[in-house]
Amino acid sequence: DAGVTQSPTHLIKTRGQQVTLRCSPKSGHDTVSWYQQALGQGPQFIFQYYEEEERQRGNFPDRFSGHQFPNYSSELNVNALLLGDSALYLCASSPPDSQYYGYTFGSGTRLTVV
Amino acid sequence: GQQLNQSPQSMFIQEGEDVSMNCTSSSIFNTWLWYKQDPGEGPVLLIALYKAGELTSNGRLTAQFGITRKDSFLNISASIPSDVGIYFCAGQLGNTPLVFGKGTRLSVIA
């Protein structure tokens, strides 16, 4: 049974560009949360998607947006990239009615902005 | 964003030694979680605590939920080389996103 799958694993972008990261949740999970983990820091909550809608949002600017598809997979989009957006982006899925319990994290996408 | 205070930031220990790390917060939580993250991987849940004062074990790992609900600690007994990694605490209040600490980096010397 596959866990949470994220793609790509690594990505290099230039300042000002836009990026899309993808996440497939664990089988049976319907809720997807995205976290940003800067080097040497713990993960910071970006937002959570459930039933194709953004349910909760952390303290991130509108440049960060997302989407959830009918098959529960999700995308994270970041516009107008800044050097400070360089980080490991983690996707976590959770089962029905659990929201933040029973989290399973993916291995992340390492984004480098140059 | 808010992060929990986790200490120590890093530690080097000999194989076989016991390890202790803790996490404190200025606000209360009703759930405390401990994760381990290996290089190139996402965090993996080690122990979950749901009640103040609760003491829970998972093999050589033991964690406690502080009585004040503002702290938690994790102990690892008889460390082995595969214990190397970064350990994160996370707190949660109600149905809100997890708040993570900055992590404790553990290195084990054989």
Side-chain angles (χ1 to χ4, degrees), chain A residues 86-108:
Chain A
S86 296
L88 180 68
Y89 288 84
L90 295 164
C91 170
S93 69
S94 44
D97 300 324
S98 295
Q99 196 166 0
Y100 296 105
Y101 293 95
Y103 254 5
T104 299
F105 280 92
S107 296

Side-chain angles (χ1 to χ4, degrees), chain A residues 102-103, chain B residues 33-36 43-48 50 58:
Chain A
Y103 254 5
Chain B
L33 305 168
W34 285 91
Y35 288 86
K36 179 174 183 263
V44 173
L45 182 65
L46 299 173
I47 291 182
Y50 301 107
N58 178 9

Side-chain angles (χ1 to χ4, degrees), chain B residues 93-108:
Chain B
L93 183 64
N95 216 6
T96 59
L98 302 183
V99 178
F100 283 84
K102 292 187 177 183
T104 292
R105 183 181 295 274
L106 178 63
S107 300
V108 178

Side-chain angles (χ1 to χ4, degrees), chain A residues 37 41-42 44 99-100 106-107, chain B residues 3 37 41-42 88 92 95 101:
Chain A
Q37 186 177 18
Q41 304 291 316
Q44 296 268 350
Q99 196 166 0
Y100 296 105
S107 296
Chain B
Q3 285 203 322
Q37 187 174 27
E41 300 292 330
F88 289 98
Q92 184 181 30
N95 216 6

